[in-house]
Amino acid sequence: MTKLIPPLTEDVVRQLKAGDEVEISGVIYTARDMAHRRLCQAIRDSQALPFDIKGAIIYFMAPTPARPGKVIGAAGSTTSSRMDEFSPVLIEAGLRAMMGKGYRNQAVRDSMKKFGAVHLFTIGGAGALISKFIVKSEVIAYDDLGTEAIRRLEVVNFPAIVAYDAASRSIYNK
Amino acid sequence: MARTIDYQKIVEAVKSLCIDACYELPHDVLDALTEAAKKESNSRAAKILKSLIENARIAADEQIPLCQDTGLAVVFAEIGSECLIKSTGSAGRTIYDAINDGVKAGYKDGYLRNSVVAEPLQKRKNTGTNTPAIIHCTITGGDKLKLTVMAKGGGCENKSQFKIFNPTAGRKQVIDWIVDVVKNAGADACPPFIAGVGLGGNFETSCLLAKKALLRNLNEKNSDPFYAEMEKDLLSAINSLGIGPQGLGGDTTALACLIETAPCHIASLPVAVNIECHSHRHKSVVI
């Protein structure tokens, strides 16, 4: 079990191997489809991003609303491959880890190798279980996107498995 | 003499179905996961299956939705021809309005995620109510109204496919294609799956059949022995793929394969596969 505390350094990321179990503690950010499009547009327009992407972990997730007094609702991962066209831009900008479910394409894997980044797997459809590892949640950008807004999450011992490492290895038989 | 059903009664029923479906995994699905976890020879796969069972327990006990993707609300209404829907004070309101009002209330009061955008390509603005629901009404005999809500996630729906074969295509060709669709869904669509298959009909009906197939109890075979055998062979072929729970390998790629059929044109053999994730959420009530 490897403990990960963001921001992650290139050195830490390059030591991870596909299949390694990790636990994340600290701050991670959520972003999925539309938020990715906006983040990439901001980079193209040389505008500041809503959070520091250097060393960051992005979690592909859009939760259910929190009940009163609760931190968050169900909070499991969405399909990572939909972010394939955007991830290389963010990796080049300093993103060190992405977290979601399913496959990544070759372009993303090439970027991860070149710049030093990994893709982490969390169990898709285990939204209730995974929500237990999130202790704080706050919308920090793109509020108009509703559930797809960018959130700053604080997590404690959040479990994941390295699905693709920075040396082109994969946990998938594909 | 027609039976009158109050508009508000339908609203309340749909609301409860939305909430219950998203918090309680149906028994047949839970049983199938439990059985699969026992049989699974891959230890990591077994661990994932146990996590899914644990997830279902937490969801029910602590009232956290099973999955953050609480889906499009797909609502089937089987309306007895002797039913009249009465809406006091809001003339012209139909069963479609009642269902949408129910979905709106269910997603709000149940703390479920709103995942509907108003149109597909321009602004994709979230409607903020998870409506409009996808509604399929059919007319049946009698004076009862059967309502079914399915909370259908986007990740698995995205991997569903449709194809029209030549009428001369055989069983093997159809099976091979269906298995290929499931293979293509792979890790992305949250296996273990339930594969809903629509055979026959035409362009639109085969897709609807595939969706309706998903509403069957997982242990219920097709009533025609030929198609029951095909379901069995398909499930076995799918589980031989080795994709496993969440795509990390294992014996459990699908929990069930369910086929529904319809007559079709002499020129065509339509086949639709509706992929459903393990978080197979649906519930029915008869009013």
Side-chain angles (χ1 to χ4, degrees), chain B residues 248-283:
Chain B
L248 302 190
D251 313 318
T252 320
T253 301
L255 299 174
C257 179
L258 307 164
I259 297 174
E260 288 292 315
T261 66
C264 56
H265 194 282
I266 52 170
S268 325
L269 170 46
V271 184
V273 182
N274 199 187
I275 301 284
E276 170 72 320
C277 61
H278 60 77
S279 199
H280 180 37
R281 294 153 293 171
H282 63 101
K283 195 170 182 186

Side-chain angles (χ1 to χ4, degrees), chain B residues 10-284:
Chain B
I10 299 170
V11 174
E12 290 301 322
V14 170
K15 175 184 160 179
S16 297
L17 290 174
C18 290
I19 295 173
D20 293 351
C22 287
Y23 287 88
E24 291 163 28
L25 201 61
H27 290 298
D28 55 335
V29 183
L30 202 52
D31 289 350
L33 286 171
T34 307
E35 199 56 35
K38 272 188 218 156
K39 285 189 197 155
E40 184 56 69
S41 63
N42 177 316
S43 62
R44 188 156 58 194
K47 198 173 156 192
I48 290 173
L49 292 169
K50 282 174 193 155
S51 293
L52 297 178
I53 295 163
E54 172 69 358
N55 184 65
R57 187 195 62 75
I58 294 171
D61 288 358
E62 302 185 30
Q63 291 293 286
I64 306 170
L66 286 153
C67 177
Q68 74 291 334
D69 184 355
T70 49
L72 287 180
V74 182
V75 184
F76 293 87
E78 293 167 45
I79 311 159
S81 55
E82 292 161 47
C83 289
L84 271 183
I85 293 154
K86 187 179 129 202
S87 60
T88 38
S90 48
R93 304 280 281 166
T94 67
I95 187 164
Y96 292 95
D97 299 314
I99 290 170
N100 277 317
D101 283 351
V103 168
K104 203 179 290 182
Y107 275 68
K108 181 168 182 285
D109 294 358
Y111 295 90
L112 306 177
R113 196 179 81 181
N114 295 320
S115 309
V116 177
V117 293
E119 46 74 36
L121 212 48
Q122 288 183 79
K123 300 211 162 110
R124 292 189 64 90
K125 189 170 167 40
N126 197 306
T127 60
T129 59
N130 215 50
T131 60
I134 308 286
I135 302 171
H136 302 293
C137 290
T138 48
I139 307 294
T140 62
D143 64 357
K144 301 278 195 286
L145 169 64
K146 183 178 180 186
L147 293 164
T148 301
V149 170
M150 178 185 233
K152 186 70 169 74
C156 51
E157 192 78 354
N158 283 351
K159 300 292 176 182
S160 302
Q161 291 193 45
F162 168 76
K163 178 174 177 163
I164 301 185
F165 286 81
N166 284 336
T168 48
R171 184 183 190 269
K172 183 179 182 303
Q173 217 177 318
V174 172
I175 286 184
D176 287 350
W177 181 75
I178 294 168
V179 172
D180 207 49
V181 170
V182 174
K183 189 178 172 189
N184 182 60
D188 285 0
C190 269
F193 304 124
I194 294 110
V197 176
L199 290 181
N202 66 352
F203 182 68
E204 75 274 13
T205 53
S206 66
C207 292
L208 191 53
L209 281 174
K211 180 131 287 142
K212 281 186 176 171
L214 294 175
L215 296 175
R216 261 174 39 207
N217 185 296
L218 301 190
N219 302 308
E220 186 190 329
K221 298 182 180 105
N222 188 295
S223 55
D224 181 320
F226 175 86
Y227 294 110
E229 188 68 19
M230 192 167 162
E231 289 175 342
K232 197 177 132 205
D233 291 349
L234 268 166
L235 183 60
S236 161
I238 290 167
N239 282 331
S240 299
L241 289 170
I243 293 169
Q246 296 294 303
L248 302 190
D251 313 318
T252 320
T253 301
L255 299 174
C257 179
L258 307 164
I259 297 174
E260 288 292 315
T261 66
C264 56
H265 194 282
I266 52 170
S268 325
L269 170 46
V271 184
V273 182
N274 199 187
I275 301 284
E276 170 72 320
C277 61
H278 60 77
S279 199
H280 180 37
R281 294 153 293 171
H282 63 101
K283 195 170 182 186
S284 301

Side-chain angles (χ1 to χ4, degrees), chain A residues 20-86:
Chain A
D20 284 356
E21 294 188 6
V22 300
E23 277 182 4
I24 305 160
S25 293
V27 173
I28 65 175
Y29 297 93
T30 70
R32 52 177 285 167
D33 308 72
M34 293 309 271
H36 269 74
R37 192 151 99 182
R38 290 191 192 181
L39 288 171
C40 289
Q41 189 62 47
I43 289 173
R44 274 194 295 276
D45 296 346
S46 303
Q47 287 174 352
L49 297 182
F51 61 93
D52 186 1
I53 201 160
K54 294 225 164 11
I57 300 177
I58 289 182
Y59 183 23
F60 304 145
M61 190 278 285
T64 58
R67 286 179 181 272
K70 298 287 182 187
V71 172
I72 202 162
S77 55
T78 196
T79 311
S80 303
S81 60
R82 291 199 315 273
M83 270 48 83
D84 280 353
E85 67 171 294
F86 304 109

